[in-house]
Amino acid sequence: MPHTVEKANQATANFSVQINEIINKRKDLAQKVQHAKNNVDKLLQYLLELKGKKVDALSALKDQQTKERLNCIDFESLIVQLKKEQIQLEKLLTRFARETINIAVVGKAGQGKSTLLQTLTGLDDAIIPSSKNDHCTAVRSKISNHLNDETSKQFEIIFHDQKSFFEEVIFPYYSTLELKGNKPNDLENFIANPLAQLIHENKSNQTIYEHLEKYHKKLNDNPNLFLDNDQKLAINESKLRNYIAQNQNNNLEYLTVKEIDIKCVFPRAKEMGIEKLSFIDMPGSGDGKSHNSANLLQTLGKDIDFVLFVYKPSAQFREEAEKNANLQDLFHNSQRKDAISNLPINQWSFYVVNYHPSSDPEHDNRESCDKFKNIIQQKGYVADTVIANCKNEKETTSNILAAVLKYLAQELNNLDEQYASKCQISLKEFHNILQEKLNQASIYGIQASSDSFGDLTTRYTDLFNNRFKELKIELIKLAKDLDSRKNNKNQQIEKFIDTAIKDSDADKLLPSLEEIKTEIDIDGYLYVHNQYLKRLKADILTPFNDIDECFIESLTDTKKEVVGILVEVGGLDKTIKNYNENYDFKTKVNFFSDLLQAIPNHWKVEKLRQAIENIHKFTINYRAEIEGIIREKNNIKHLIPEQTTHTVKTLSRELEEKVNPKKFQENVPKYTRDALIAAHTAVIKNSEIKLRKLSEDPNKKLVEMIRTFIDEAFEAEGVKDDWRKFLSYYLVEIWSDEFGSDANDTKLKQEWMKIVEDTKQVNNSDVLSFLS
């Protein structure tokens, strides 16, 4: 059922809010599509890497069974298919992320298409040519309101190259007509050979064939049309008509033009609120040019959000002629297999029936408009049919534009998802196919016959158990050695604390007596006293801020001792060198983070990962410990204004009793400053013993770090199995003397499995989905 068209009140003709809401609703879908595209881009890189690894493996592997298995997997076809999906996602993203609503206007010459565009935009015949001056639209033109500049105009011509001209202009004729002989395979072949003859010479085919003959003749008469390699050309307004329109003189400039991008200010844009509306002026439909209908469907998928078909019935209504007008070819083409089958045109379009009022009943076509509307609605060709005088601003605004925007506000989200659904289904199908291929591509990281490796499981188990035991023993020795050093003071930290205590001097932190006096004169001594107490409470920790820097060297040295055991006893530097041949652990402070990178992403060894990550991130916050010492309840009470107020009041009362008011007033700044220094000194004195003890046992926490690492990496339940899996992946690198004879095969298989498993992680149906 067509939607009911409601005439809008002229007072509500400003559509900017409605248009912005429609555009903003699309942005959520655009973000989802962007996320899916990012994952498709990543997946494509993995497939390209797999393709290269396959070539390497087939040329270098000795294992014939594995080679045969890999040889059966066609990565090239998967890459081709994924690139197609990538292109479709790019089109969706372009469609959903743009900041305008694009409306195409389609109609044969003389039906009112250009008149409607001129009325809506306020532009004249110089930009939108009409057939009344023997000109008509020859190429697709996008007409946008210039948002950034209210005066300038930009006209850009985009030209066909030979390939696009043949595919988009010439070849559609061969898909529509039945011609004798072979179809040309490119433009040169089309030009060089005589034009094939029609098999069925009915009137409709003959009209289309005549246009193909004109192209053939013009290209033969002008063989240099495509010699210019520039694909874009900026022109001024005076030359626009030569490229946008064809006339009785059959100008050739328009012939190789693919589309024209026009940016200028719509005179009525702000008044109507249509700054973010763009219009696409399509070449006439149903004029015998077979490529026009196909181009409309393709453009609808990429650049157009909605279509207005414009038709002006004659006053003497002819039912058979009218009911087939404009749409016959279009709907025929929309059923073709190469068209956009998931974009039913009747959900994305309105029919505008152009009413031509006249005082002469013989020329007034109102009755014909009503009859034609009934026919179109019965056929279900479009979502709705509206009648309007295309020359009348009020009717085009209320009958056409208001109805279109209301429809889009209600339906565009559903239509967008419907349009995107084909791409989503295709992506899911690709996911399933690729998952099956990756399962076929999965081989064991280590695969060998008993002849080449003997009893591999037993040999590896013995080697691993010995290595695991040695690592644990050496780390325990290191912890005991550090523990024996615990009574040695850290001279650097001791010196830092001495300096910080000296620097934490209220006399240095407080302003001069004169400054205090000035503030007391303004705010009163009690307020000033409390404010400086608050400031000292914040500033008292300042001299200790950089203490953690003193500990970094000790912490780094201890971690390096742990790394030394893991490398010299465990050979774990070889796991890192497997993906970084130039790695030198002696110059690296991030050994543990690099070691984490060496663990295959797809392996579930979470306990081992966590143990390595914990020692990597381990640090000691001495600054926090110092803050805790200084801010202990018995200390910090000296710096709490609420608790010192009574002392200040008592002091001031006693002073007033002993001295005269004038002398008291002169001494208040000194009394205030002395009280502040006393409070600050008390805090430092109460904290000093604990602060100095920090330098006496710095190794204690380092010992705790190593023992925690031993517990997590060697004692925790199941962590030994994590080590076994991890080291088996680098079996050849670590035990090269034992397993080096087939090292190349093993390494290739390990590299292959890593990229296969990484690809499986990316080929996830959830991350490739963008529709709920």
Side-chain angles (χ1 to χ4, degrees), residues 108-342:
K108 292 175 66 176
Q111 304 305 305
K113 172 174 67 75
S114 298
T115 301
L116 175 60
L117 283 170
Q118 290 178 6
T119 305
L120 289 172
T121 64
L123 299 172
D124 58 23
D125 219 48
I127 304 250
I128 305 175
S130 61
S131 57
K132 65 184 179 182
N133 293 322
D134 294 328
H135 293 78
C136 63
T137 305
V139 295
R140 183 172 70 237
S141 304
K142 182 178 180 181
I143 310 164
S144 305
N145 182 57
H146 208 311
L147 295 173
N148 300 323
D149 193 328
E150 295 186 357
T151 57
S152 70
K153 298 179 181 179
Q154 296 177 4
F155 306 97
E156 186 175 61
I157 312 299
I158 297 96
F159 293 97
H160 280 291
D161 56 23
Q162 290 194 48
K163 184 175 183 295
S164 67
F165 187 81
F166 176 74
E167 292 176 352
E168 297 178 23
V169 178
I170 300 300
F171 197 75
Y173 285 95
Y174 287 85
S175 300
T176 303
L177 300 171
E178 292 186 64
L179 301 176
K180 298 175 183 178
N182 296 325
K183 296 179 181 179
N185 50 25
D186 57 33
L187 191 64
E188 290 183 359
N189 187 258
F190 170 73
I191 297 172
N193 295 301
L195 193 60
Q197 297 301 305
L198 273 170
I199 295 176
H200 303 291
E201 295 190 14
N202 57 50
K203 184 177 180 180
S204 175
N205 284 348
Q206 187 61 45
T207 301
I208 297 172
Y209 186 74
E210 287 173 1
H211 282 280
L212 183 61
E213 284 182 314
K214 290 178 182 178
Y215 279 122
H216 191 266
K217 184 178 186 308
K218 287 177 180 178
L219 290 170
N220 272 281
D221 292 344
N222 301 274
N224 296 327
L225 276 175
F226 290 96
L227 287 181
D228 189 351
N229 291 326
D230 291 336
Q231 295 299 299
K232 293 184 178 181
L233 175 67
I235 62 169
N236 57 42
E237 185 175 347
S238 64
K239 294 183 179 180
L240 179 63
R241 185 178 293 273
N242 292 336
Y243 292 96
I244 203 171
Q246 57 180 320
N247 56 32
Q248 291 179 345
N249 297 323
N250 289 322
N251 56 308
L252 292 172
E253 285 89 342
Y254 78 90
L255 193 63
T256 60
V257 177
K258 185 174 185 177
E259 59 184 351
I260 299 177
D261 189 8
I262 299 172
K263 290 184 175 70
C264 58
V265 177
F266 296 174
R268 300 185 62 213
K270 287 188 177 180
E271 172 194 346
M272 297 175 62
I274 60 169
E275 295 99 324
K276 293 185 180 180
L277 277 189
S278 291
F279 296 95
I280 297 178
D281 190 359
M282 295 294 295
S285 174
D287 63 358
K289 295 180 181 178
S290 67
H291 63 281
N292 286 349
S293 298
N295 281 350
L296 173 60
L297 290 169
Q298 295 297 331
T299 307
L300 177 58
K302 180 183 178 183
D303 297 321
I304 296 175
D305 299 312
F306 203 72
V307 180
L308 294 176
F309 295 105
V310 182
Y311 184 69
K312 183 170 69 175
S314 61
Q316 291 74 37
F317 187 69
R318 295 167 295 172
E319 182 173 339
E320 287 303 315
E322 312 294 10
K323 72 179 181 180
N324 292 318
N326 276 358
L327 290 176
Q328 184 176 9
D329 288 342
L330 179 62
F331 285 97
H332 172 71
N333 287 333
S334 68
Q335 304 303 315
R336 284 169 30 200
K337 293 181 180 179
D338 60 343
I340 306 176
S341 57
N342 64 321

Side-chain angles (χ1 to χ4, degrees), residues 619-721:
T619 188
I620 295 175
N621 192 339
Y622 264 72
R623 171 66 165 70
E625 291 198 27
I626 290 173
E627 182 176 355
I629 291 170
I630 290 177
R631 294 191 184 282
E632 284 182 2
K633 185 176 181 181
N634 291 333
N635 294 333
I636 203 64
K637 68 181 181 181
H638 294 286
L639 294 178
I640 300 177
E642 291 76 9
Q643 294 182 1
T644 59
T645 300
H646 175 71
T647 303
V648 176
K649 286 182 177 179
T650 301
L651 175 64
S652 64
R653 187 170 59 252
E654 291 174 353
L655 288 170
E656 284 184 290
E657 292 173 356
K658 294 178 181 179
V659 299
N660 60 58
K662 183 178 179 182
K663 188 174 181 180
F664 167 74
Q665 192 67 28
E666 291 174 352
N667 284 280
V668 163
K670 183 177 184 304
Y671 300 147
T672 302
R673 200 170 193 275
D674 289 346
L676 291 169
I677 292 174
H680 183 274
T681 303
V683 172
I684 295 298
K685 184 176 180 180
N686 288 345
S687 306
E688 186 172 354
I689 294 175
K690 290 184 178 180
L691 288 173
R692 294 191 183 282
K693 282 185 69 67
L694 288 177
S695 65
E696 294 179 1
D697 192 10
N699 290 333
K700 182 178 179 180
K701 293 187 183 300
L702 298 176
V703 173
E704 290 176 0
M705 176 189 75
I706 297 173
R707 286 177 174 165
T708 299
F709 180 63
I710 294 170
D711 289 342
E712 293 178 345
F714 293 89
E715 301 289 355
E717 183 180 358
V719 74
K720 187 173 182 178
D721 289 335

Side-chain angles (χ1 to χ4, degrees), residues 22 232 280 352-353 366 464 468 509 528 547 579 722 751:
I22 294 170
K232 293 184 178 181
I280 297 178
V352 176
V353 188
R366 180 67 203 201
F464 166 75
F468 185 82
L509 297 173
V528 171
I547 191 170
Y579 70 87
D722 287 0
E751 291 173 351

